[in-house]
Amino acid sequence: MRRYLVDYNESFVIDQNFDVAIIGAGIAGLYTALMLPKDLKIVILSKKDIEDCDSYLAQGGIAASIKNDNRELHVKDTINAGCYVNDLDAVNVLINESQEAIDSLVELGVDFDRDSLGNFYRSLEGNHSMPRILHVHGDSTGKGIMDILIKNVKEASNITVITDIFAMDVVDSEKIYKGITAYHNDKFFYFNTKFCVVASGGIGQLFSKTTNVDILTGDGIAMALRAGVNLDNMEYIQFHPTAFYSKDVKDKLFLISEAVRGEGAVLRNINEERFMGEYDNRMELAPRDIVARAIKDQMDKTKTDYVYLDVTMYDKNFLKRRFNTIYSECKSQGIEMNKDYIPVTPAAHYFMGGIKVDLYGRTNIENFYAVGECACTGVHGANRLASNSLMEALVFGKRAAVDISCRMKQKKYLDYEDMNKIGIKTLFNGFKTEHMKIDFSVLKENLKNFMEDTAGIVRSVDKLKKVLDYINNVLYEIENCNFSDIYSMEVYNMYQVSGAIVTSILDSKASIGSNYVEEYSERSLVRQI
């Protein structure tokens, strides 16, 4: 496997102005930066504008056990949704430290929705046994939190945000982190920092149907993979059951939050028949993997591309107040939620696997961390419990920051050395200007379609083996080419991560939760509660 995306020459910039590099500017990256000591110089590398991330789009809310809540019940719900393969230590950390995370957000300025008595308004979502989901501005929780984090980051004198920068590779010496290579404003950079936190988000754009923004192509996971960082649970990909169906949206589908079903919305097939009772006695509030498979089964049976979400039991005023963002989007598509059924389809939404980390976000490369969706803490098991993801980003982002602070005080990091002295001979090479014979746009479209068909909601061993052969052949073809631009590098990352996902599915030889493989399944579309 190719070690670096580009090869060494003299035309690069070495930047030694920062202590910590954070790759990604979503909730995980920004919050981690704010939790680090104020005397550390931090650089946040954002692939696009700081608002271009999935965190900004998060609607449903944030699951938290606060005050006198039964934390054991939250643990039980989490591992039940995760098919009991969760890391129990990580689950306990997540839930026991959720109060601290909410308090921290409030202190930063996040204004959570409250009821008439001034208490936090909390709603119910799928597989939660009690209302524990906090919201900001109804269904704009991600935006509400992100706006506050961005404000605090901009006011922090020790934090610099660089936008439109493409992080490429991890540089290490004897499995100790040394720095990050990146491309920005037609120049190659080497950020020689003492620590790095990857918070690059998920992998939704590997599929033809996704709710993820266009930057989520698995870049952080690919760079970790090339550096020999351990990955875990790569077979676990959550497909959200209810994305707004549209023929016209190519890059991203609009998400219809789990919270809509939490408030009582029901699913109907194209014949307007309610169907979830056939699959699970929790009906529309069953775990997402079950609901997504049920919808796919109905679409296959009725030979349609969507089913309906029915929320017509509520009046217009309630829907506008509770789901203002969703109401507005549906209206722009000609759907009146209080009168019309909403056409929905499952779409790739959240990655439970990724870079393997411990309870402090540490990887097997010293001083190299991962937090958020690109990291695999083991919290989610085989299927994420709704709205646990934002809390995971906060709790483990804080833990990574605490660990970095301790290591900084103990001076457990490498000082800068000349790159040749640490054996790095292949870092940079200016992009080749000659015409490339490989059409990377075609490769990208092919991959997204193949992954949707083979590594999607229902998987088949024979199809997976064929697509793995295809991926390996493409990787062999482009392995030694000189990339013409950032786009070609991005596609290369997509193929590397897709290969790791398909390999993990085949190696698992199991069918559980979001990894539903026909040949390994004893039951058709259901599982024990």
Side-chain angles (χ1 to χ4, degrees):
M1 182 177 64
R2 188 171 184 165
R3 178 64 175 86
Y4 295 106
L5 283 179
V6 285
D7 299 325
Y8 172 84
N9 70 18
E10 299 299 328
S11 60
F12 62 90
V13 178
I14 298 176
D15 192 322
Q16 302 178 67
N17 296 316
F18 303 100
D19 298 303
V20 184
I22 296 178
I23 301 172
I27 284 176
L30 298 183
Y31 186 76
T32 302
L34 291 168
M35 294 300 102
L36 285 164
K38 306 306 179 190
D39 59 344
L40 294 185
K41 293 182 179 179
I42 302 159
V43 61
I44 299 174
L45 309 181
S46 180
K47 190 174 176 182
K48 279 191 174 181
D49 291 336
I50 198 168
E51 291 86 3
D52 280 316
C53 65
D54 261 23
S55 295
Y56 229 89
L57 302 177
Q59 297 171 359
I62 179 168
S65 288
I66 58 178
K67 297 184 178 179
N68 296 320
D69 286 350
N70 185 336
R71 284 165 172 72
E72 290 184 3
L73 200 56
H74 195 170
V75 170
K76 180 180 177 182
D77 292 345
T78 298
I79 63 175
N80 177 267
C83 304
Y84 300 92
V85 295
N86 318 61
D87 184 306
L88 188 57
D89 289 337
V91 174
N92 279 307
V93 164
L94 175 81
I95 289 155
N96 289 330
E97 297 181 15
S98 60
Q99 175 77 65
E100 180 185 349
I102 294 300
D103 291 343
S104 177
L105 288 183
V106 171
E107 186 176 341
L108 287 169
V110 175
D111 186 17
F112 287 103
D113 295 346
R114 297 177 183 268
D115 60 23
S116 58
L117 299 177
N119 300 313
F120 289 138
Y121 172 77
R122 295 194 281 173
S123 68
L124 184 68
E125 291 186 4
N127 213 58
H128 286 272
S129 53
M130 61 169 284
R132 62 168 70 94
I133 316 302
L134 281 70
H135 305 271
V136 183
H137 308 316
D139 59 354
S140 300
T141 302
K143 182 180 184 302
I145 295 174
M146 280 292 291
D147 285 343
I148 295 299
L149 295 183
I150 290 170
K151 177 178 180 293
N152 280 271
V153 163
K154 287 181 176 179
E155 292 174 353
S157 60
N158 66 317
I159 301 175
T160 299
V161 178
I162 302 176
T163 59
D164 298 308
I165 183 168
F166 187 87
M168 296 186 300
D169 279 306
V170 182
V171 178
D172 68 284
S173 176
E174 303 295 330
K175 290 297 180 182
I176 301 176
Y177 167 79
K178 279 294 301 177
I180 289 292
T181 64
Y183 188 74
H184 176 60
N185 285 347
D186 300 322
K187 292 180 181 178
F188 290 104
F189 285 80
Y190 173 51
F191 289 91
N192 177 243
T193 61
K194 299 175 178 67
F195 304 91
C196 178
V197 181
V198 179
S200 57
I203 49 88
Q205 284 294 323
L206 303 184
F207 296 84
S208 59
K209 290 197 303 182
T210 181
T211 62
N212 290 183
V213 295
D214 61 359
I215 64 171
L216 295 185
T217 51
D219 303 306
I221 297 170
M223 65 192 296
L225 177 64
R226 286 192 294 273
V229 177
N230 294 333
L231 307 180
D232 202 15
N233 289 353
M234 297 292 284
E235 66 270 30
Y236 296 143
I237 302 165
Q238 186 171 80
F239 289 77
H240 198 289
T242 55
F244 190 99
Y245 172 76
S246 173
K247 293 181 180 179
D248 301 326
V249 179
K250 185 175 182 180
D251 294 327
K252 175 177 72 69
L253 296 175
F254 180 78
L255 178 70
I256 306 295
S257 168
E258 179 109 3
V260 178
R261 282 178 285 130
E263 294 287 0
V266 300
L267 289 162
R268 302 185 184 278
N269 61 23
I270 197 69
N271 299 318
E272 302 186 4
E273 300 163 334
R274 191 175 182 184
F275 58 83
M276 275 307 302
E278 300 175 28
Y279 303 93
D280 195 285
N281 63 12
R282 289 164 291 190
M283 307 291 279
E284 284 78 9
L285 295 182
R288 288 179 178 178
D289 63 314
I290 294 176
V291 181
R293 285 196 297 274
I295 290 173
K296 184 181 187 304
D297 190 48
Q298 288 292 313
M299 293 192 309
D300 290 345
K301 287 177 178 178
T302 58
K303 294 181 172 56
T304 54
D305 295 327
Y306 57 89
V307 296
Y308 290 122
L309 186 66
D310 174 13
V311 69
T312 58
M313 67 285 296
Y314 285 107
D315 64 36
K316 182 177 180 178
N317 290 334
F318 171 81
L319 294 172
K320 287 183 69 175
R321 183 178 69 255
R322 178 66 181 85
F323 302 111
N324 181 59
T325 303
I326 297 172
Y327 184 90
S328 298
E329 178 65 23
C330 286
K331 188 172 183 178
S332 72
Q333 299 291 333
I335 301 292
E336 291 281 354
M337 289 176 66
N338 59 309
K339 298 178 182 178
D340 305 317
Y341 294 163
I342 307 168
V344 294
T345 184
H349 180 62
Y350 192 85
F351 192 35
M352 281 83 71
I355 301 169
K356 186 175 183 178
V357 297
D358 66 9
L359 296 179
Y360 287 91
R362 296 176 292 211
T363 72
N364 60 302
I365 289 186
E366 195 170 344
N367 299 335
F368 185 70
Y369 299 73
V371 297
E373 190 174 352
C374 69
C376 182
T377 62
V379 157
H380 306 301
N383 180 54
R384 175 174 67 95
L385 180 67
S387 293
N388 265 352
S389 54
L390 295 186
M391 183 56 72
E392 181 194 27
L394 299 173
V395 166
F396 290 94
K398 172 67 176 294
R399 285 180 147 250
V402 168
D403 195 67
I404 290 171
S405 177
C406 291
R407 295 185 69 82
M408 189 72 185
K409 291 177 182 177
Q410 298 166 4
K411 295 188 176 180
K412 291 185 177 181
Y413 53 82
L414 291 179
D415 289 318
Y416 177 74
E417 298 178 62
D418 181 82
M419 283 184 285
N420 288 324
K421 290 183 180 179
I422 59 174
I424 300 170
K425 300 183 184 299
T426 54
L427 283 178
F428 298 101
N429 188 8
F431 292 133
K432 297 297 182 181
T433 56
E434 67 263 24
H435 177 69
M436 297 286 293
K437 292 182 180 179
I438 299 173
D439 189 332
F440 281 91
S441 63
V442 172
L443 289 181
K444 182 175 181 178
E445 184 177 356
N446 288 344
L447 180 69
K448 288 166 71 76
N449 289 329
F450 284 141
M451 289 295 285
E452 184 76 33
D453 184 50
T454 63
I457 299 170
V458 175
R459 299 159 173 178
S460 162
V461 170
D462 288 342
K463 285 185 176 181
L464 288 163
K465 288 179 177 178
K466 289 177 182 177
V467 82
L468 184 59
D469 286 341
Y470 165 77
I471 289 170
N472 287 334
N473 288 335
V474 170
L475 285 172
Y476 178 81
E477 182 180 359
I478 65 178
E479 192 72 33
N480 296 308
C481 77
N482 290 305
F483 296 105
S484 59
D485 51 26
I486 290 297
Y487 182 80
S488 58
M489 291 185 179
E490 181 181 77
V491 174
Y492 179 64
N493 285 342
M494 293 172 69
Y495 270 83
Q496 283 198 315
V497 176
S498 295
I501 289 170
V502 174
T503 299
S504 188
I505 297 170
L506 290 170
D507 288 347
S508 71
K509 291 184 170 52
S511 184
I512 183 171
S514 60
N515 180 37
Y516 186 89
V517 184
E518 288 178 320
E519 289 84 349
Y520 304 143
S521 293
E522 296 179 1
R523 294 176 293 276
S524 57
L525 292 166
V526 298
R527 60 177 167 84
Q528 295 293 336
I529 298 172

